[in-house]
Amino acid sequence: MAEEIDDNEFYRENFSADSDWEVFNAQLGEILQKWDVSADAESRNLKSEEIFTCNWKVEREKLDMLKNGIEVEYHQAVLEDEELSREETKENSCLQRTSCHHDLMSTGSSFGPPIRSSQDLHILARIYGLRRFIVLHPVNCTLNYMKSTSEFNFFLSAVAVVSAEVQSVVPIFVQIYDPKWNFYTGVALAPALRTNFRLIGLEKAPPECRFLMGLLTLFREKVPTSYSQAAMISVCTTYALDTMRIRMPMYVPFDHGLSSEDTVVDGEVSDLEVQQFCALPHGYTPESRTEIYLVYTWPELSEHVAFDSEQRSDFVPSKAPLGKVYLSVEASSYLSCCLRDYQSVAEVTRSLESFVGRNFSGTSSGAEAASNPLDRITEHKLTKRREGSFELPSQAGLTKRLPGPMTESELSELLAYLFPDMHPEMALFPYAKKSFKDKFDPMRFKSAVPDSLICRLSCLLATCHAHLGSVEGMAQAWAAFTRQLRLLWDNSLTVPGISAGFPDTRTCLLHQKLQMLNVCVERRVQREANSKRKSEGMVRKASAEKEELGEDDEDEDEDDDEGEFFDCDDLTAGAGSPTKAVLSLKPEGRLRRLNNERLLEEPDEYLYIPETQDPVPKTEDQLEDDAEVMLKLGPGSGLSTQMMCTSLLSDMEAFKAANPRGAMEDFIRWYSPKDWEEVTDELGQVQHKLSIRMTTEGNTWQKVWEQAQAVPVSRQKRLFDDTNEALKVLHYMETRKMHEIYNLTIIPLLHSAILKLADILSNAKLEDLFSAQIEKLLSDLCRLSRSHSDDPTPIKPLLDDLAELERRFYQFKCFERLSGYPNRSTLQQVKLQFEEILRNDNCCTIVNRRLTAAGDDTLYDILIPKLEEDMAKRLISKDYIIRLDGDTKSTEKGLYLGPQFMRAIVTGEKLRLCGAFTESTAFV
């Protein structure tokens, strides 16, 4: 029968193949060796509470286990390097004692702040005070967590084996059960020692285990060996005072509705005061509050000194050697919410016309093209326009028929804020008369002058987006703004609230565009005034000739004069061409003499400075376009040379007209004196000659000089067409898409928001307290404003810092009220204590009996009566830590028993025990 059985029909298991457990061990061992967890270099002891305030470094690796894999995290505290003291060196002489043992016995890391203010701090660092540790958990731990004993044993046994193989001195933990429970089990190895980390939780603990006496009994039962010395205990009790709310109602400029959400919330009302009006909202949401915790600590006591049971306890606030108050603030400002909402506009790519319709500017392109542009220029009467009795065209055409959520009256109020001179009956916030340049440093921020038109417009758009109609309201406000610009241009009026002068490329692009529009208006007014003066002069000359000559001759002369006047004022004619050039030797267009300089070839004639055209202003984007065209054309292109030398040609023609017998050397002496060099010949005589740059063959200056004709500036073609450039600016403003409007206004908006917050702090007399935070915000804004990236400006970190500063201000106002200001403390005392809160992670010492006892009129005396009213109900947690350590001076292997550690966290009837018990492996 046995011979008839076929072995191939039976399943054969290959026991020589690697199991999942062995594969996992090999992968984990490679990771631990890469992280070099076996090294335990001499490290200093941790400072008090340093583990809760330092930065943390986290390394992660993924292993293919379970359904979604296992993630391995290596957490390391980044500590400042300091030299070890002699006492620390002597203490570290024990060969078996590792940094893990030091951390478990460190009393300075016993209790952190009751509020988890830092998301980087792992719960294991808070419980055990470890400076480095490794955690294993499923990749998607919220859905695929470990919940069976077999899984616990699988990974915990693997951790123990691998730790021994690689001689790891870093504790390794495995996360079990649901992550929100924060349950971990782990192991740490040392020479001849093993520390087991265990954690349990009880929903309803036995009464004796909620006090120190019962916990000490439990601790002694868990200690594997007997210790000669007494256990050391540390205790922390936490009480909660009433939550404090201070109502700072929402204020939205130009919104006359009532904020119903603020009227139903109880609490003290404190209005924010500002000195400078800014079209941004302020105030705090009704949910804003500050939770106040009193924490009393007994850092280190012997187990025989204190008594704590159900009947009697020594751990009461009046006997605590150290007491602190913690303030946990949750405050949301309307200013920060407005700025965060405005970020969404960066993703809106719709055009302005899609919101307000076509031809929203109120000027038909067809009708505009049918009229003669020169007629449109000359039809204005400048003398009447500048009179005080002059009335602008009806403003109704600027707001009606403009689609949007705001009414005509609301839109008029916004325009009166932007253009106070145009709406004198509604203007409440005129622009400052002092020079704008005195209030702004363009070398630092690429923004605009505070409270200028650009800043007002940017704030107004953000407010409209947040409170006055969302994106539709913002588009409506921008369309009304561009209408107003066109009205100003049509009436030859400059845009208010803009710095004078040419476009300043150190400021934002929107400010440059409006500067360009103002330059166009000024050139237009100047040109029209000059034309009018010439016309009046010709009329007076003709009248004088009529008195001297007969009537027939007068008519002929008048016709000749009119023909000559037309030729002189034809600004669009090609006067620069040779056929139009003035070839006579009669000088024209002289401005003044150049000191006492004379022409080189005609020593009897003086050298005259000619009248020249004003420089051509350009905005930043125009300069970039010119540079791009020049780069594409190349240096040898004729068109490239023409673009560069347009202004030079005009100046050379004006110079030849003013100095008909002048040479190129004369022009260089006036135009570029550095190229007229002084040399000494062989005989020692001093002579002058052109520089090498001017005498090189094929020199551009020589080519342009040869092309230039003697044409005075009055007959040259305009280098700068103010009408065309102004229409370009208006077209640019009217054709922006919503995300482009956002990019134009975001930097001035952030600048105004920071200054508004600084104004609020200044009115509260807190500018010295938060000056460092304000300066940091301005420095970050400076960096953002100078960014040349094409991507959207990354403003989220700046907004987070701004929101944090606003939370700090709300926290101060609550602490100010808590301190009894102004009845029981002065503002200076409150600020000194709040400085400690800023330095020490939201906590302030109220009693420290090691240094001094609490006296009268202190924060301690103010808070203790509030606590003693109902102490039992205000107690939210008790934290006990029991430590026991062996002989750390022993240098022989096997004599050091290792540390024993247990933390008990009691919250009501709930109890959580976190143990780290060390056992010897020397005789196992």
Side-chain angles (χ1 to χ4, degrees):
M1 295 292 293
E3 296 177 356
E4 297 178 0
I5 298 176
D6 187 2
D7 293 341
N8 295 328
E9 295 180 0
F10 289 88
Y11 171 72
R12 295 181 177 180
E13 183 176 358
N14 185 5
F15 291 97
S16 63
D18 294 335
S19 63
D20 293 341
W21 186 79
E22 292 172 321
V23 172
F24 177 75
N25 285 6
Q27 294 177 346
L28 182 60
E30 292 178 359
I31 294 175
L32 297 185
Q33 287 178 345
K34 183 177 69 173
W35 286 340
D36 194 17
V37 295
S38 61
D40 191 27
E42 289 189 359
S43 55
R44 62 174 176 83
N45 293 338
L46 293 172
K47 298 178 182 178
S48 178
E49 299 187 359
E50 183 181 13
I51 201 74
F52 308 110
T53 58
C54 67
N55 296 323
W56 284 82
K57 176 185 176 183
V58 182
E59 300 181 57
R60 292 180 173 88
E61 292 286 347
K62 184 178 178 182
L63 301 178
D64 294 331
M65 290 296 296
L66 295 180
K67 296 179 181 179
N68 298 320
I70 293 293
E71 189 171 39
V72 185
E73 296 180 351
Y74 184 22
H75 296 257
Q76 301 178 76
V78 181
L79 307 177
E80 298 179 358
D81 293 332
E82 294 184 5
E83 295 183 0
L84 295 176
S85 63
R86 293 184 178 180
E87 295 180 359
E88 291 177 343
T89 305
K90 187 180 299 184
E91 185 179 354
N92 295 344
S93 60
C94 181
L95 298 178
Q96 295 176 265
R97 191 174 172 89
T98 64
S99 60
C100 172
H101 301 158
H102 284 284
D103 296 342
L104 289 173
M105 295 296 104
S106 175
T107 57
S109 304
S110 298
F111 309 109
I115 316 112
R116 292 189 62 181
S117 58
S118 175
Q119 298 298 327
D120 297 334
L121 186 61
H122 198 277
I123 185 66
L124 291 173
R126 294 177 60 88
I127 293 176
Y128 296 109
L130 301 174
R131 72 183 74 189
R132 58 176 185 160
F133 52 89
I134 296 174
V135 180
L136 279 70
H137 63 82
V139 173
N140 193 3
C141 54
T142 55
L143 300 176
N144 186 32
Y145 52 83
M146 304 180 195
K147 50 182 177 292
S148 65
T149 306
S150 60
E151 289 179 315
F152 304 162
N153 294 334
F154 178 93
F155 290 102
L156 194 59
S157 62
V159 164
V161 171
V162 174
S163 297
E165 289 179 352
V166 301
Q167 297 181 348
S168 172
V169 295
V170 178
I172 304 179
F173 294 86
V174 179
Q175 187 175 25
I176 59 177
Y177 298 121
D178 196 327
K180 63 183 180 183
W181 295 351
N182 289 323
F183 270 60
Y184 296 87
T185 180
V187 64
L189 299 182
L193 293 175
R194 169 175 172 153
T195 303
N196 297 304
F197 295 88
R198 298 293 182 267
L199 192 151
I200 63 172
L202 300 176
E203 286 293 321
K204 188 172 183 179
E208 63 272 11
C209 291
R210 301 178 206 159
F211 297 90
L212 179 61
M213 297 297 103
L215 293 173
L216 281 171
T217 303
L218 180 63
F219 177 77
R220 287 294 183 182
E221 293 176 355
K222 295 293 294 183
V223 173
T225 58
S226 60
Y227 286 74
S228 58
Q229 64 268 38
M232 302 303 295
I233 61 174
S234 302
V235 182
C236 175
T237 58
T238 304
Y239 300 85
L241 298 183
D242 295 334
T243 300
M244 184 172 294
R245 299 177 186 268
I246 296 182
R247 207 158 48 88
M248 300 183 186
M250 176 176 65
Y251 169 75
V252 179
F254 309 109
D255 181 15
H256 303 294
L258 295 177
S259 300
S260 59
E261 59 179 345
D262 285 335
T263 59
V264 297
V265 179
D266 296 331
E268 179 183 341
V269 178
S270 176
D271 292 324
L272 295 178
E273 298 181 0
V274 293
Q275 184 175 2
Q276 180 70 41
F277 177 81
C278 179
L280 283 174
H282 60 250
Y284 291 83
T285 59
E287 298 80 14
S288 300
R289 66 186 184 276
T290 298
E291 297 177 353
I292 305 169
Y293 301 95
L294 296 180
V295 179
Y296 294 94
T297 307
W298 289 259
E300 191 172 13
L301 296 173
S302 174
E303 63 176 313
H304 305 302
V305 173
F307 184 86
D308 179 55
S309 67
E310 293 183 76
Q311 291 76 25
R312 182 177 66 85
S313 176
D314 292 334
F315 301 119
V316 293
S318 58
K319 297 181 180 180
L322 185 63
K324 294 183 179 181
V325 56
Y326 284 83
L327 279 74
S328 173
V329 60
E330 293 183 12
S332 179
S333 165
Y334 291 110
L335 175 60
S336 295
C337 293
C338 176
L339 298 178
R340 293 187 189 280
D341 290 344
Y342 195 63
Q343 277 186 285
S344 62
V345 184
E347 307 298 328
V348 181
T349 57
R350 292 176 57 185
S351 64
L352 190 61
E353 290 183 349
S354 65
F355 291 97
V356 296
R358 286 182 142 193
N359 193 30
F360 60 87
S361 61
T363 303
S364 174
S365 57
E368 191 175 14
S371 61
N372 188 348
L374 294 177
D375 293 339
R376 290 175 57 83
I377 295 175
T378 57
E379 68 183 358
H380 300 289
K381 305 299 182 183
L382 294 178
T383 55
K384 293 183 179 180
R385 185 176 297 111
R386 294 301 188 268
E387 292 176 359
S389 60
F390 173 74
E391 294 183 1
L392 291 172
S394 174
Q395 303 292 317
L398 296 175
T399 53
K400 68 180 182 180
R401 300 187 305 277
L402 195 60
M406 287 182 283
T407 64
E408 180 181 344
S409 60
E410 291 173 340
L411 210 53
S412 298
E413 188 177 6
L414 301 185
L415 292 175
Y417 173 63
L418 297 176
F419 303 95
D421 296 339
M422 304 288 289
H423 304 262
E425 72 285 354
M426 302 174 62
L428 299 177
F429 308 102
Y431 290 108
K433 294 183 179 180
K434 64 181 295 187
S435 175
F436 278 107
K437 294 183 178 179
D438 298 339
K439 302 166 59 179
F440 176 61
D441 181 14
M443 298 299 295
R444 185 177 186 186
F445 306 107
K446 194 173 180 63
S447 177
V449 179
D451 198 40
S452 64
L453 175 61
I454 302 301
C455 291
R456 291 190 179 190
L457 174 65
S458 303
C459 297
L460 206 57
L461 292 178
T463 301
C464 289
H465 178 265
H467 301 281
L468 303 177
S470 188
V471 184
E472 291 77 9
M474 173 185 167
Q476 187 183 15
W478 180 268
F481 170 73
T482 56
R483 275 185 172 185
Q484 193 80 23
L485 293 181
R486 186 170 287 275
L487 177 70
L488 292 173
W489 165 250
D490 290 341
N491 290 273
S492 297
L493 296 173
T494 57
V495 181
I498 299 297
S499 301
F502 280 16
D504 189 352
T505 55
R506 299 173 300 175
T507 60
C508 63
L509 181 59
L510 184 57
H511 185 261
Q512 297 177 44
K513 289 293 182 183
L514 296 188
Q515 280 185 310
M516 173 67 81
L517 188 59
N518 276 351
V519 171
C520 294
V521 171
E522 293 169 358
R523 294 281 181 92
R524 176 181 182 179
V525 171
Q526 182 182 3
R527 177 168 48 78
E528 291 178 355
N530 293 337
S531 177
K532 183 176 181 180
R533 283 197 299 269
K534 290 182 180 179
S535 178
E536 293 176 351
M538 297 299 292
V539 171
R540 286 195 299 269
K541 181 178 180 182
S543 300
E545 290 178 352
K546 284 181 180 180
E547 295 177 358
E548 297 176 359
L549 303 177
E551 186 174 356
D552 296 336
D553 295 337
E554 291 174 359
D555 294 338
E556 294 177 2
D557 292 342
E558 185 177 354
D559 294 339
D560 295 340
D561 293 341
E562 287 179 357
E564 183 180 358
F565 173 71
F566 177 81
D567 291 338
C568 291
D569 284 347
D570 187 6
L571 299 177
T572 60
S577 61
T579 57
K580 298 288 184 179
V582 180
L583 301 177
S584 65
L585 297 180
K586 180 182 179 181
E588 295 183 82
R590 288 180 170 179
L591 182 63
R592 65 178 185 275
R593 289 194 307 187
L594 181 62
N595 300 326
N596 291 322
E597 299 291 336
R598 298 178 181 269
L599 300 178
L600 297 177
E601 297 181 358
E602 298 291 338
D604 296 335
E605 293 189 16
Y606 286 100
L607 176 61
Y608 285 89
I609 299 176
E611 294 179 351
T612 58
Q613 296 195 48
D614 293 334
V616 178
K618 288 185 180 292
T619 57
E620 188 175 26
D621 58 336
Q622 291 176 324
L623 293 174
E624 291 176 356
D625 292 342
D626 291 348
E628 184 177 357
V629 171
M630 298 279 289
L631 189 61
K632 291 181 179 180
L633 293 176
S637 173
L639 184 57
S640 174
T641 304
Q642 182 180 352
M643 289 178 59
M644 291 189 299
C645 302
T646 303
S647 178
L648 178 62
L649 177 62
S650 172
D651 294 340
M652 284 185 172
E653 289 182 339
F655 182 84
K656 285 189 174 183
N659 303 277
R661 295 181 176 82
M664 180 179 173
E665 288 79 0
D666 298 315
F667 176 78
I668 297 300
R669 291 162 60 199
W670 161 63
Y671 202 82
S672 181
K674 292 183 178 180
D675 288 304
W676 186 245
E677 298 178 348
E678 180 179 306
V679 295
T680 305
D681 58 11
E682 298 177 354
L683 302 177
Q685 297 180 353
V686 178
Q687 295 182 354
H688 293 81
K689 68 174 184 178
L690 293 176
S691 64
I692 298 177
R693 184 169 75 99
M694 293 296 174
T695 56
T696 305
E697 185 177 356
N699 183 273
T700 303
W701 291 65
Q702 294 178 355
K703 292 181 180 179
V704 176
W705 178 262
E706 294 172 358
Q707 296 174 6
Q709 304 294 326
V711 182
V713 68
S714 60
R715 282 194 287 272
Q716 290 182 6
K717 182 179 179 179
R718 281 188 291 171
L719 297 177
F720 179 73
D721 190 345
D722 50 68
T723 303
N724 187 35
E725 292 297 329
L727 295 179
K728 283 183 181 179
V729 173
L730 295 175
H731 177 75
Y732 177 88
M733 303 291 286
E734 294 166 355
T735 56
R736 294 302 91 192
K737 295 182 179 180
M738 300 310 296
H739 71 281
E740 294 173 332
I741 297 175
Y742 168 85
N743 292 331
L744 289 172
T745 56
I746 184 60
I747 296 299
L749 172 63
L750 294 176
H751 191 192
S752 301
I754 295 173
L755 295 181
K756 179 183 178 72
L757 185 53
D759 187 19
I760 293 174
L761 297 175
S762 177
N763 279 280
K765 300 179 181 179
L766 302 177
E767 63 273 10
D768 55 337
L769 192 61
F770 297 104
S771 58
Q773 291 89 330
I774 290 291
E775 186 61 28
K776 182 180 182 300
L777 288 173
L778 293 175
S779 299
D780 293 341
L781 177 65
C782 173
R783 178 178 50 82
L784 288 177
S785 66
R786 300 291 174 183
S787 175
H788 298 287
S789 175
D790 296 333
D791 299 331
T793 306
I795 65 171
K796 186 179 181 304
L798 180 63
L799 292 183
D800 292 341
D801 292 342
L802 186 67
E804 176 62 23
L805 180 55
E806 290 186 288
R807 283 193 293 269
R808 288 294 190 180
F809 174 72
Y810 186 88
Q811 187 182 37
F812 176 85
K813 299 301 290 185
C814 293
F815 182 73
E816 184 182 58
R817 188 176 127 191
L818 181 68
S819 302
Y821 174 82
N823 297 327
R824 302 190 63 177
S825 59
T826 64
L827 181 60
Q828 189 62 29
Q829 290 176 338
V830 176
K831 289 166 69 174
L832 287 175
Q833 290 175 322
F834 194 78
E835 285 180 357
E836 184 180 354
I837 291 178
L838 295 178
R839 290 192 308 266
N840 298 337
D841 198 12
N842 299 312
C843 79
C844 172
T845 302
I846 56 177
V847 55
N848 189 348
R849 300 188 187 278
R850 295 177 179 179
L851 301 178
T852 178
D856 297 334
D857 298 330
T858 62
L859 192 59
Y860 175 85
D861 299 322
I862 297 173
L863 297 180
I864 282 296
K866 297 181 180 181
L867 180 62
E868 292 178 346
E869 292 175 1
D870 198 354
M871 186 180 300
K873 291 185 178 180
R874 295 187 184 276
L875 178 64
I876 59 175
S877 72
K878 294 187 296 181
D879 205 342
Y880 300 93
I881 295 180
I882 306 174
R883 294 184 176 93
L884 193 57
D885 201 1
D887 185 10
T888 59
K889 299 180 181 180
S890 175
T891 58
E892 296 184 15
K893 186 175 181 180
L895 296 181
Y896 176 59
L897 299 178
Q900 311 297 335
F901 174 96
M902 188 179 77
R903 176 191 287 265
I905 304 173
V906 181
T907 54
E909 294 184 346
K910 296 181 181 180
L911 172 65
R912 171 172 289 223
L913 293 175
C914 311
F917 295 98
T918 305
E919 60 185 4
S920 175
T921 60
F923 304 105
V924 176

